[in-house]
Amino acid sequence: IAHQRSQLDLKILRDELKKSGIGGKLIGKSKLMQELQEVISRIAPTQSTVLVLGESGTGKELVARSIHDQSLQKDKPFIAINCSSFSETLLESELFG
C-alpha cells in the first residue's frame, strides 16, 4: 500500500511540475531559450518533419523530446536514434528510402 501511495504521489507531483512549466526538459529564461521555446511551440502541432542539427552535447535530443511532448503524437513512443552509429549509405536509405 505504501509503494502504491508513493507511486501515486510521484505521478501527481510530475503532473503539477509539467503544468507549471518547471518539469520540462528545456530549462532557461534567456532570450535565446525563449525564442527556442516559441519555435518549438509553433512546430510541434504541425505534421511537418523536423531535422534538428547541432554539435555534440548541445541538446538536440532535448529539443526533439520537447517537440514530441507538445505534438499531437505525444501519447505515442519517442524513439531517439544516434545517427552517427549508422553508415552514411544506410542512414540515407533509412531516412529517405
Side-chain angles (χ1 to χ4, degrees):
I1 294 174
H3 178 69
Q4 288 177 338
R5 176 69 182 187
S6 294
Q7 292 297 95
L8 179 61
D9 289 345
L10 181 59
K11 182 183 179 339
I12 291 169
L13 286 171
R14 284 184 176 157
D15 290 344
E16 288 299 315
L17 284 173
K18 199 171 224 178
K19 285 180 197 172
S20 70
I22 297 171
K25 311 279 191 280
L26 296 174
I27 300 172
K29 293 185 178 184
S30 70
K31 183 168 175 63
L32 285 175
M33 288 302 290
Q34 290 174 357
E35 289 173 10
L36 177 60
Q37 288 286 6
E38 185 180 318
V39 169
I40 289 171
S41 66
R42 285 195 321 252
I43 291 171
T46 71
Q47 292 295 318
S48 299
T49 300
V50 178
L51 177 62
V52 181
L53 300 172
E55 294 181 26
S56 179
T58 56
K60 296 177 295 294
E61 186 175 333
L62 293 176
V63 170
R65 282 186 190 277
S66 292
I67 293 169
H68 175 76
D69 290 346
Q70 296 178 42
S71 75
L72 300 174
Q73 291 82 26
K74 62 186 166 197
D75 59 333
K76 297 187 170 85
F78 173 83
I79 301 171
I81 300 172
N82 180 359
C83 295
S84 65
S85 65
F86 291 97
S87 70
E88 183 178 336
T89 53
L90 179 59
L91 181 62
E92 184 178 339
S93 172
E94 289 297 317
L95 291 177
F96 305 111

